[in-house]
């Protein structure tokens, strides 16, 4: 007899899952019955939050959904923070949990890990939460999740299986696979957008995280129109080094001036969130008056007004626009010059200290070309989110925008390294954030994930301390003492070195990459 728990593994394999992140417990033992015999790799984090962040990093690096297995109750609540980050950044994540036996649910009888309404709680953070009560329901629940991931704006999905349902017979169930695709761009909307484009003289493109898979199409349209391309943090790397690229935050005055000067703005895959467009909370961002919005999510399109709305995947919509405007280049009024001026003004706008931190990130990029850099909320990440041009599409992501979860970087970097084993992966984290998920060093070693952990050690939460001082609040609670990160790494059997001179970073990075093992480089900062 094949149990439902065993069938789950076969169904996940059929959907292309090759890795799951999780910590087994008494409420998920039956889900592991078929795992040892499968081709799916299991990675054990040191905390369920790490499982969620690893799944997130895996998804962002690979473009495939990340999958986490967690126990009912505390295992699932530990994962909620990671699900919140995935929801904020539209990351496809499937969280499969156990739940207590069906007959006990909602009774308040005091069972282990019992919650009043686990699924009700998850419905507040997941795109949808589904409880499987019979074996025949599982293929449909998984099909619904994977269809959502491929056809609309993704995010976290939760499926829970009661312990008594995990052992039910499931010999006859089979995977329900569908080729659900995003909606095709509406022809009338494309035609309307093309008319606006033809009439414009100073067009501008805003690219967000939803355009990460549309780099080729974005480049074609930008060059056809001679339009500068402003990239939010989640779109960096799409047009590295291109004369039309503006790798700077729309929160900067120079970028806002570029937007205000444009007579048409094409927004591809961006939600206009405040962490990208009003990072200083000064209220200075103004939605463009003449706006074409492209988004895979109909609900997202409905949240802000636009002149033309195109409900479609960014790649398909940009392709359609290129075809509609025709083969003749529509050279705008000095697009490359406008982009160059914006780049220069944007970088000059940030402080010398921030410029120096951007140079640190550029050092990592230039020493390790085409590396994936996964960031936590730390000073160089904040600085580079303001201005930084990465050299790999989809190779720059962090938790310093959107939900903003500290501790994201280390486990997400592990997930990315396992998803793209031929890429060099760097985790850039601060001493404060690293301590949130520091034990995941052990998971990196277990999984042989060769992540280079670069720790920016300024002995505290300096970004928060600065925010307090800026508004006249005496800093409190912002100087937690860091441990000796090198000794801790060595305790896990991981190589480590400490740098007091940032000029030594390139050589340290080269040494770390040569080991093909996880390594820690600690940079002590005044």
């Amino acid at each position: 007899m094949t149990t439902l728990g065993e069938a789950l593994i076969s169904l996940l394999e059929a959907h292309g899952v090759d890795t799951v992140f999780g910590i087994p417990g008494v409420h998920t033992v039956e889900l592991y019955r078929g795992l040892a015999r499968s081709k799916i790799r299991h990675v054990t984090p040191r905390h369920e939050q790490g499982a969620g962040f690893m799944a997130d990093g895996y998804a962002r690096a690979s473009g495939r959904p990340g999958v986490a297995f967690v126990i009912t109750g505390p295992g699932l609540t530990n994962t909620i923070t990671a699900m919140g980050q995935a929801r904020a950044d539209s990351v496809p994540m499937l969280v499969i949990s156990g739940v207590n036996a069906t007959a006990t649910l909602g009774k308040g009888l005091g069972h282990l890990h019992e919650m009043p309404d686990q699924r009700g709680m998850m419905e507040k953070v997941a795109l949808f939460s589904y409880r499987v009560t019979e074996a025949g329901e599982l293929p449909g629940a998984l099909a619904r999740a994977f269809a959502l991931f491929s056809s609309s704006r993704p995010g976290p999905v939760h499926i829970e299986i009661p312990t008594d349902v995990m052992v039910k017979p499931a010999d006859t169930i089979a995977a329900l696979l569908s080729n659900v695709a995003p909606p095709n761009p509406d022809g009338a909307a494309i035609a309307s957008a093309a008319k606006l484009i033809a009439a414009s003289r100073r067009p501008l493109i805003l690219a967000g995280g939803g355009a990460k898979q549309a780099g080729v199409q974005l480049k074609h349209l930008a060059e056809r129109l001679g339009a500068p391309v402003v990239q939010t943090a989640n779109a960096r790397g799409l047009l590295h080094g291109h004369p039309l690229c503006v790798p700077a935050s729309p929160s900067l005055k120079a970028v806002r001036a570029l937007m205000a000067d444009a007579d048409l703005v094409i927004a591809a895959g961006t939600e206009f969130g405040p962490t990208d467009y009003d990072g200083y909370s000064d209220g200075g961002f103004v939605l463009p008056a003449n706006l074409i919005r492209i988004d895979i999510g109909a609900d997202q399109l409905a949240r802000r007004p636009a002149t033309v709305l195109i409900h479609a995947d960014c790649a398909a919509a940009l392709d359609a626009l290129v075809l509609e405007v025709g083969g003749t280049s529509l050279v705008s009024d000095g697009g490359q010059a406008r982009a160059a001026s914006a780049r220069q003004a944007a970088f000059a706008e940030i402080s010398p200290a921030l410029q120096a931190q951007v140079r640190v990130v550029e050092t990592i990029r230039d020493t390790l070309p085409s590396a994936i850099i996964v960031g936590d909320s730390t000073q160089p990440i904040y600085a580079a989110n303001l201005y930084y041009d990465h050299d790999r599409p989809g190779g720059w992501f962090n938790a310093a925008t959107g939900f903003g979860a500290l501790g994201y970087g280390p486990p997400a970097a592990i997930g990315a390294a396992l998803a793209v084993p031929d890429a060099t992966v760097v985790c850039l984290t601060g001493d404060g954030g690293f301590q949130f998920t520091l034990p995941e060093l052990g998971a990196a070693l277990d999984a042989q994930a060769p992540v280079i952990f670069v720790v920016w050690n300024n002995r505290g939460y300096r970004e928060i301390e600065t925010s307090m001082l800026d508004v006249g609040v005496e800093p409190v609670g912002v100087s937690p003492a860091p441990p000796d990160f090198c000794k801790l790494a060595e305790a896990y059997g991981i190589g480590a070195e400490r740098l007091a001179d940032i000029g030594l970073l390139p050589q340290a990075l080269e040494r770390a990459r040569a080991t093909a093992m996880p390594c820690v480089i600690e940079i002590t900062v005044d």
Side-chain angles (χ1 to χ4, degrees), residues 12 25 107 126 143 295:
L12 290 174
K107 301 292 180 60
D295 204 286

Side-chain angles (χ1 to χ4, degrees), residues 249-251 256 272-285:
S249 169
S251 294
R256 289 176 175 178
F272 293 107
T275 54
D276 281 314
Y277 289 84
D278 192 19
Y280 295 108
S281 300
D282 60 9
F285 170 67

Side-chain angles (χ1 to χ4, degrees), residues 128-397:
F128 75 85
S129 177
Y130 188 88
R131 177 181 300 150
V132 176
T133 59
E134 296 293 340
E137 297 173 2
L138 182 58
L142 289 172
R144 179 184 173 192
F146 282 91
L148 185 154
F149 295 147
S150 65
S151 65
S152 61
R153 194 177 182 92
V157 168
H158 170 241
I159 295 175
E160 67 179 19
I161 308 175
T163 53
D164 58 315
V165 177
M166 293 178 190
V167 297
K168 286 189 174 183
D171 294 293
T172 59
I173 67 172
L176 296 176
L177 303 179
S178 62
N179 295 317
V180 181
N184 291 318
D186 177 70
I190 293 295
S192 296
K195 288 180 181 179
L196 292 177
I197 289 171
S200 69
R201 291 296 173 266
R202 296 184 311 282
L204 175 72
I205 298 174
L206 300 176
K212 282 193 300 184
Q213 305 301 321
V216 172
Q217 296 83 355
L218 185 70
K219 180 173 178 285
H220 287 168
L221 183 64
E223 291 177 344
R224 183 71 54 84
L225 307 184
V229 180
V230 174
Q231 301 164 53
T232 67
N234 282 327
R236 301 291 171 81
L238 286 176
L239 290 174
H240 174 63
H242 195 284
L244 290 171
C245 173
V246 182
S249 169
S251 294
L252 296 173
K253 293 177 182 178
V255 179
R256 289 176 175 178
L258 178 67
M259 293 169 60
D261 179 64
D263 59 2
L264 175 67
V265 173
I266 303 169
T270 179
E271 65 179 3
F272 293 107
T275 54
D276 281 314
Y277 289 84
D278 192 19
Y280 295 108
S281 300
D282 60 9
F285 170 67
V286 177
L287 199 68
N290 201 18
L291 175 64
I292 298 169
R293 281 199 74 190
I294 303 168
D295 204 286
I296 198 172
D299 57 343
Q300 184 57 239
L301 289 173
R303 290 181 182 134
R304 296 184 187 272
T307 314
V308 176
L309 299 174
I310 302 175
H311 179 208
D313 172 72
C314 283
L318 293 171
D319 253 343
L321 283 175
V322 170
L323 290 173
E324 188 71 18
V325 299
T328 304
S329 294
L330 304 174
V331 179
S332 71
D333 293 343
Q336 292 189 13
R338 288 190 291 136
S341 177
R343 287 194 300 269
Q344 182 178 5
F347 188 71
E349 186 178 331
I350 64 177
S351 69
L354 293 175
Q355 291 178 358
Q357 290 160 15
V358 171
R359 298 301 187 204
V360 172
V361 179
E362 291 176 337
T363 296
I364 297 173
R365 177 199 66 196
D366 296 342
T367 306
L368 306 173
S370 295
I372 297 173
I373 302 180
V374 184
D376 215 311
S377 295
T378 190
Q379 286 181 324
I381 295 294
Y382 284 118
N385 279 348
L386 287 173
Y387 189 99
Y388 168 67
D389 188 13
H390 196 54
D391 64 348
R392 180 188 183 116
W396 170 265
F397 55 89

